[in-house]
Amino acid sequence: MPVNTNNSATFHMAELCRAQADLCAQLGSDLYVQVLRRCAEDVEAGGPVWDVLRDLADCPADFYPALRLLGSVHRLVLTGQAPALAAHYPSVGGRPGPGLWDAFRGVVIDHAATLTTLVNNTPQTNEVGRAASFLGGFLKIANETGLPLRLLEVGASGGLNLNWDRYRYESGDWSWGDAGSTVRLTDIFVDRTPDSVPATVVERLGCDLSPIDLRAKEGQLTLLSYLWPDQIARIERQRAAIQIASNAQVHVERANAIDWVRQHLASPRAGMATVVFHSIVLSYFDDNERRTFGEVLEDAGSRATADAPLAWLSLERSAGRFEVRLRSWPDGSERLLAVCGGHGLPVQWLDS
């Protein structure tokens, strides 16, 4: 029997599905727009999508239940457990067609128990395109301090963006990075570009509550599953970045962000610029955690010197847009460096 559409729980979940559909439209995934709009209708009707998402009924918007469902279903496609839907998913050679929704709904019905478990996992969107949005900030820190960089990434997932200096960046006649890299980010900047200056990384560490082990196929599958199946360029770039990270063996620790940052900033490190950076992380913190995180950085900044500077480089959503901001110590200055797309590209460089 259909659920009353006035039910607050189904209404809330349906609205979250529609909001995610709008975001997918902005970021260029027609396939997910189609699926999510039908998901919203299915939720309102008390259908199988609602059955899978029911346990998340009261979750806040930043819990991203729709993305959890999409990533979980994509995982089944990538592992060959959903052949009918695979015929519509470009990520495995398919092509979207009129039967897309019926195939998606069929997977939800056939794998309801598995999906009900999987949607409790936090989405892991280790988006390589965001390295392009960070690039100008890293170069500015290197140029202004004249020091090599010590990288500390919060919410690092599999650590793909800790390898930002091992990628190639191109925008018109402007370029930076390893010309032979298998990860190439092109057409990055809108109008202006940052200065193309040398930058050297001497240390790279990351933390995450649920770090991804990229040496294991399970970890690689997790990262790929949260990409959108009709965005092949992102998927190919992610596969190349996974290979680089697997070879580099960058260490991502399982740790609480606040405790981890406090530990690694306890004493200034002379002869290098320490950079704490993160992308789309603060939305997962509650108000108290955001405040404490900032206080830890402020405290460490009070101990920074010209020979042991500290930088806080962030990519977070603010007032409906994605902003790249830089806070630097010992002077404590703060700048808006750029605005960019949700997946990092394109980048509108604002700083001089």
Side-chain angles (χ1 to χ4, degrees):
M1 179 179 295
V3 173
N4 187 326
T5 54
N6 291 323
N7 181 292
S8 61
T10 55
F11 177 81
H12 174 64
M13 187 62 69
E15 287 303 293
L16 292 181
C17 289
R18 291 192 175 99
Q20 187 62 52
D22 291 342
L23 183 58
C24 288
Q26 295 172 27
L27 298 177
S29 177
D30 292 339
L31 186 153
Y32 271 176
V33 170
Q34 294 180 54
V35 167
L36 285 165
R37 286 176 178 165
R38 297 299 297 270
C39 281
E41 295 172 0
D42 189 85
V43 166
E44 289 175 326
V49 172
W50 169 243
D51 290 338
V52 167
L53 294 177
R54 188 189 301 269
D55 290 346
L56 306 180
D58 298 322
C59 73
D62 58 15
F63 216 64
Y64 303 111
L67 277 185
R68 291 170 183 245
L69 174 63
L70 295 174
S72 299
V73 170
H74 194 196
R75 186 185 192 92
L76 297 178
V77 171
L78 292 172
T79 55
Q81 298 178 69
L85 184 57
H88 297 274
Y89 271 34
S91 57
V92 289
R95 191 172 185 177
L100 169 62
W101 169 246
D102 288 339
F104 185 93
R105 192 171 187 269
V107 172
V108 175
I109 293 171
D110 293 343
H111 299 273
T114 299
L115 292 171
T116 301
T117 299
L118 287 175
V119 295
N120 284 289
N121 296 331
T122 302
Q124 288 279 5
T125 52
N126 201 178
E127 176 54 54
V128 183
R130 291 174 183 159
S133 60
F134 282 131
L135 174 63
F138 287 128
L139 298 184
K140 180 164 284 291
I141 296 164
N143 190 43
E144 291 182 350
T145 65
L147 296 170
L149 307 181
R150 173 193 180 215
L151 306 178
L152 301 175
E153 185 181 11
V154 173
S157 188
L160 300 187
N161 287 326
L162 281 164
N163 291 308
W164 65 272
D165 57 317
R166 292 168 171 146
Y167 305 154
R168 177 68 172 180
Y169 305 86
E170 298 173 347
S171 193
D173 296 331
W174 188 97
S175 64
W176 195 90
D178 181 0
S181 178
T182 54
V183 174
R184 306 183 74 84
L185 296 115
T186 60
D187 300 323
I188 298 169
F189 295 105
V190 177
D191 300 325
R192 302 172 60 194
T193 59
D195 293 334
S196 183
V197 298
T200 302
V201 177
V202 291
E203 186 176 345
R204 51 190 105 215
L205 294 172
C207 78
D208 197 280
L209 287 176
S210 302
I212 298 294
D213 182 0
L214 293 179
R215 297 166 299 179
K217 288 185 178 180
E218 184 73 12
Q220 297 177 18
L221 175 63
T222 295
L223 289 191
L224 292 170
S225 68
Y226 286 106
L227 296 181
W228 301 354
D230 55 344
Q231 298 189 332
I232 300 302
R234 288 179 66 205
I235 293 171
E236 292 176 345
R237 189 166 60 213
Q238 189 94 320
R239 291 186 187 278
I242 286 172
Q243 188 60 54
I244 289 174
S246 298
N247 294 335
Q249 296 186 349
V250 173
H251 183 51
V252 178
E253 299 179 67
R254 186 181 302 274
N256 170 277
I258 294 170
D259 295 338
W260 186 81
V261 169
R262 183 183 285 116
Q263 173 191 345
H264 286 281
L265 297 184
S267 300
R269 295 283 292 275
M272 60 187 71
T274 296
V275 185
V276 176
F277 72 103
H278 52 83
S279 59
I280 320 302
V281 165
L282 296 186
S283 61
Y284 291 97
F285 289 8
D286 62 31
D287 290 342
N288 182 61
E289 288 170 330
R290 280 191 288 272
R291 182 173 57 255
T292 304
F293 185 73
E295 289 172 351
V296 169
L297 282 159
E298 288 275 5
D299 178 61
S302 70
R303 298 189 294 275
T305 65
D307 187 48
L310 173 64
W312 178 7
L313 183 62
S314 66
L315 165 56
E316 298 291 341
R317 193 169 189 177
S318 176
R321 67 179 186 176
F322 295 91
E323 298 181 345
V324 181
R325 290 188 171 274
L326 175 63
R327 184 85 185 273
S328 303
W329 290 273
D331 66 359
S333 62
E334 182 173 1
R335 289 167 279 182
L336 173 63
L337 298 182
V339 294
C340 63
H343 295 146
L345 300 170
V347 180
Q348 184 178 1
W349 183 251
L350 303 174
D351 198 71
S352 59

